[in-house]
Amino acid sequence: MRDALTWLQASRASDIASLQRLLETGELMAAVSELVHRLQRERGANNLWICSDGALFSAERHARQQEVSAGLEHFYQALPAAIAQPGYSRFCNLIAAALQALAGLPALRQQISQRELDQAAAMAAFNQVIRTLLNLVFEAADTASYPGISRALIALFSFMQGKELAGQERAIGSAGFAARQFTPDQRSQMVALIAAQEQSFITFREFADSAACESWQPLAQASRDIERLRRIACTGGRCDETGALHWFSLLSERLDQMKMLEDALTATLMQRCRAAIDQAQQQAAGTVVQGDSNFSLYVSGADWLPGAAALDSDGLAPQLGRSVLSLIGEQSQRLQQQADELAAMRASLDERRVIDQAKHWLMQQQGFTEEAAWQALRKSAMNQNKRVLEIAQAILAVAKTLSN
């Protein structure tokens, strides 16, 4: 039983170490959230500048670049130490990919300034940078081993993904309105982005707490002005010269409101990490305190353990054995409950991974954009009365057959 108590204490110490690492991850997620928001604003300003032939947002472009530079410093400071740890390889690799993408920003800005990239190419480049940062949030959600914290991470990631899709909608809409017409491809992308946003926000609502869902309610439905401009963009209606700035202003206001909710989600994540650490530390301290009193060795003739009459085979009083077994049982039950809850959340994340793999295959084989690939999956699912996941699984099965 002495060995059992030692390993129980080691289990709780391991819990605390894991939670401390999650707290550091939460701090990094807060920095990622802020950096992504600033990159989204720079992307939108670039789109307006490119599509207006430099007539709009010239000063704003440079201001947004300075904001991103400040966000980068915060991000770099929040990065964990590059120390090898078990099960940490993939996260480190994703950090490396994000850093490499961010290092390419100066060259990207120079290409835009020299008019070497059109709107679509510039936007795709910014999208890729942002995607590498969102991958960090997804990986954190996928590997977190505490249900309450996992739920907070999944809610945050799903919301950030929906907000990024809304940012892409702002960028494409700004391009179309600035050019005073939407191409068929742009109209198709707008439709796909609106549908994909809804899917992300549905997942967000499934994992967010009641306070976050209540805060989201006023934002869930776009304003009448946004819906009116969406109809113009998606149906090829006439665009006047004030449309671009009006659209950009409306969508920017909505994205800024989303950022406030995103900040609240990040705060919830941090609060849950700290609360879990406090609880784990209290449990560990409780084990030690009990060890000084109830977990004493039975000594013949002592009377502080009522009912104890004899030593057991390990030289411990029966009360000690029952107490340790009770603690082990509680710890085991808690871990099993965590495993059950995490299994349900992993299933949701696994579905997303399968769908993403199918989209990537369609993008490679058909030359689709990410939005067009999603729209193709969604349309096929509707036509066959199946879930998007089932269509994605079928596509990956075909891909595997073709590769053999």
Side-chain angles (χ1 to χ4, degrees):
M1 283 299 177
R2 280 188 296 249
D3 289 340
L5 183 57
T6 299
W7 285 102
L8 180 63
Q9 291 171 331
S11 170
R12 288 179 172 172
S14 297
D15 280 345
I16 294 170
S18 296
L19 287 165
Q20 290 285 4
R21 181 167 138 184
L22 274 174
L23 181 61
E24 292 180 1
T25 301
E27 292 169 351
L28 178 61
M29 296 305 100
V32 168
S33 169
E34 185 60 36
L35 180 56
V36 166
H37 186 66
R38 296 184 183 197
L39 284 166
Q40 289 167 340
R41 297 179 73 180
E42 183 180 353
R43 178 182 59 195
N46 276 312
N47 266 28
L48 275 175
W49 184 80
I50 292 171
C51 294
S52 66
D53 291 326
L56 298 174
F57 271 53
S58 180
E60 284 83 351
R61 281 182 64 233
H62 298 291
R64 300 297 178 246
Q65 289 176 17
Q66 294 302 314
E67 290 177 357
V68 169
S69 296
L72 279 170
E73 287 303 314
H74 183 203
F75 173 74
Y76 294 145
Q77 290 172 5
L79 284 173
I83 300 174
Q85 299 180 46
Y88 207 44
S89 173
R90 179 172 168 80
F91 195 62
C92 291
N93 187 58
L94 291 173
I95 290 175
L99 291 174
Q100 184 179 26
L102 291 168
L105 282 174
L108 171 60
R109 289 165 178 158
Q110 185 175 11
Q111 286 180 303
I112 293 172
S113 296
Q114 295 176 352
R115 309 291 181 91
E116 296 175 5
L117 299 177
D118 61 13
Q119 176 271 328
M123 180 173 169
F126 270 98
N127 291 354
Q128 180 56 32
V129 174
I130 292 171
R131 189 177 294 115
T132 65
L133 292 168
L134 290 180
N135 284 341
L136 292 175
V137 187
F138 178 77
E139 179 67 14
D142 194 28
T143 56
S145 57
Y146 297 85
I149 297 172
S150 290
R151 293 188 71 86
L153 276 165
I154 294 172
L156 175 61
F157 168 74
S158 300
F159 192 82
M160 289 181 70
Q161 181 177 243
K163 178 172 169 285
E164 163 57 8
L165 295 168
Q168 291 183 27
E169 181 192 6
R170 175 180 64 179
I172 293 175
S174 297
F177 283 116
R180 300 192 187 182
Q181 64 177 353
F182 284 82
T183 66
D185 184 55
Q186 286 175 329
R187 292 200 298 271
S188 176
Q189 287 183 60
M190 290 285 284
V191 172
L193 285 168
I194 293 168
Q197 284 175 59
E198 182 58 28
Q199 289 297 317
S200 293
F201 292 133
I202 286 173
T203 304
F204 151 72
R205 289 194 295 269
E206 289 177 357
F207 289 93
D209 59 26
S210 58
C213 291
E214 186 176 347
S215 298
W216 168 244
Q217 196 60 37
L219 293 172
Q221 187 64 39
S223 68
R224 289 183 178 180
D225 281 348
I226 291 176
E227 291 293 352
R228 179 180 63 82
L229 291 174
R230 276 177 170 176
R231 285 194 295 273
I232 292 174
C234 294
T235 60
R238 294 186 59 185
C239 311
D240 58 40
E241 58 184 4
T242 63
L245 291 177
H246 188 42
W247 167 264
F248 189 85
S249 175
L250 289 171
L251 269 290
S252 294
E253 181 180 357
R254 186 165 190 252
L255 285 166
D256 287 343
Q257 290 172 334
M258 287 183 184
K259 181 60 170 63
M260 294 175 64
L261 177 50
E262 191 173 289
D263 289 343
L265 293 172
T266 304
T268 296
L269 169 64
M270 302 295 288
Q271 185 274 330
R272 290 188 183 181
C273 286
R274 294 190 179 100
I277 291 172
D278 289 344
Q279 183 180 14
Q281 289 175 334
Q282 288 171 9
Q283 289 176 342
T287 299
V288 173
V289 171
Q290 285 184 307
D292 292 337
S293 55
N294 297 336
F295 293 172
S296 301
L297 288 172
Y298 178 79
V299 179
S300 179
D303 59 358
W304 60 81
L305 291 176
L311 297 173
D312 65 9
S313 60
D314 289 326
L316 302 180
Q319 288 91 340
L320 174 58
R322 288 196 296 272
S323 298
V324 174
L325 288 174
S326 176
L327 282 172
I328 293 172
E330 290 173 6
Q331 180 82 337
S332 177
Q333 185 178 16
R334 181 179 67 82
L335 292 174
Q336 183 60 51
Q337 185 179 11
Q338 284 185 354
D340 292 342
E341 293 183 31
L342 287 168
M345 285 184 276
R346 291 284 184 271
S348 177
L349 293 174
D350 287 343
E351 287 187 10
R352 179 192 180 276
R353 187 179 290 106
V354 169
I355 292 171
D356 280 352
Q357 288 173 350
K359 285 195 301 185
H360 183 69
W361 189 84
L362 287 174
M363 290 165 67
Q364 285 186 323
Q365 299 297 317
Q366 304 295 329
F368 287 162
T369 62
E370 185 174 3
E371 293 80 13
W374 162 251
Q375 189 67 6
L377 286 171
R378 185 168 174 269
K379 183 177 180 181
S380 181
M382 292 175 63
N383 290 341
Q384 299 180 46
N385 195 26
K386 292 183 177 180
R387 296 173 62 201
V388 173
L389 174 64
E390 293 177 285
I391 301 299
Q393 289 170 332
I395 288 175
L396 293 180
V398 172
K400 184 177 180 180
T401 301
L402 293 175
S403 64
N404 291 336

